[in-house]
Amino acid sequence: MRKYEIFKIKSEYQSFIMGRERLLFELLAVGPSTNYQEIEYLCDQLNEMEIDQIIRHKLSKCFDKIDSHRNEYRLTHLIKGEVFIKLGTHCIEVYCQGSRMLDLDLFVALSTATDRFFAVMNEQEECGWLKPVKYSERMILENTLV
């Protein structure tokens, strides 16, 4: 089973974090409850209705069955496997069992909403943007913020 923690980085810190993702990983890898003040400072609070809409409308096309209760979702695909999603205030916890295509389906759906989602996979010590900003876009972004 693969576990991800996904955060929505505040827009004012996105350009600063680019190129420093490993430092952010070290901060987030400890766990959202341990470094809550830092996470609250760097990450936006999640909009539950926005995430719910993404899961129900965009992912319903990719999955055979979607069950939900409060802020928890179980998405089932008969061939690919299962995804369990739990929404927190600043973090989306995701558990995937089965094909890695499950992860990709979720990442693509979330990245359609914004390019500020950042995922951490502690067990494999991996991290990254769900929708990486291209170098030319990054230069434009940095130049407009200066």
Side-chain angles (χ1 to χ4, degrees):
M1 182 175 293
R2 297 174 304 283
K3 179 186 177 193
Y4 298 93
E5 292 173 335
I6 302 173
F7 302 88
K8 186 176 180 183
I9 305 301
K10 289 183 178 178
S11 58
E12 59 264 29
Y13 301 119
Q14 183 181 17
S15 65
F16 175 78
I17 291 170
M18 286 184 197
R20 298 177 179 92
E21 287 86 357
R22 199 69 194 163
L23 294 173
L24 181 59
F25 168 78
E26 291 171 7
L27 174 73
L28 298 176
V30 175
S33 59
T34 306
N35 292 330
Y36 188 75
Q37 286 181 322
E38 290 88 347
I39 289 169
E40 194 174 45
Y41 183 79
L42 290 171
C43 303
D44 277 334
Q45 243 185 342
L46 296 173
N47 182 332
E48 293 172 11
M49 291 191 315
E50 177 187 32
I51 305 297
D52 183 71
Q53 184 177 8
I54 291 168
I55 292 170
R56 291 187 186 279
H57 295 292
K58 298 196 184 217
L59 291 174
S60 65
K61 299 170 189 168
C62 303
F63 290 87
D64 301 310
K65 185 177 178 186
I66 297 178
D67 295 317
S68 66
H69 178 63
R70 295 189 186 165
N71 292 332
E72 296 181 356
Y73 302 84
R74 183 173 306 280
L75 294 80
T76 307
H77 188 279
L78 297 176
I79 297 170
K80 295 178 189 175
E82 242 180 11
V83 177
F84 177 75
I85 301 170
K86 182 177 179 184
L87 299 181
T89 57
H90 290 85
C91 178
I92 304 169
E93 289 182 49
V94 179
Y95 301 86
C96 298
Q97 180 140 5
S99 168
R100 284 210 176 241
M101 292 303 292
L102 296 167
D103 313 25
L104 183 61
D105 291 339
L106 176 64
F107 294 168
V108 167
L110 287 173
S111 67
T112 60
T114 182
D115 63 350
R116 295 186 287 129
F117 281 114
F118 187 83
V120 173
M121 192 175 187
N122 289 332
E123 286 101 29
Q124 279 71 21
E125 294 188 14
E126 295 177 10
C127 66
W129 300 99
L130 298 190
K131 184 176 182 180
V133 177
K134 296 176 187 165
Y135 180 74
S136 60
E137 292 174 358
R138 180 179 171 192
M139 294 304 291
I140 292 168
L141 180 66
E142 288 177 354
N143 290 334
T144 58
L145 293 175
V146 173

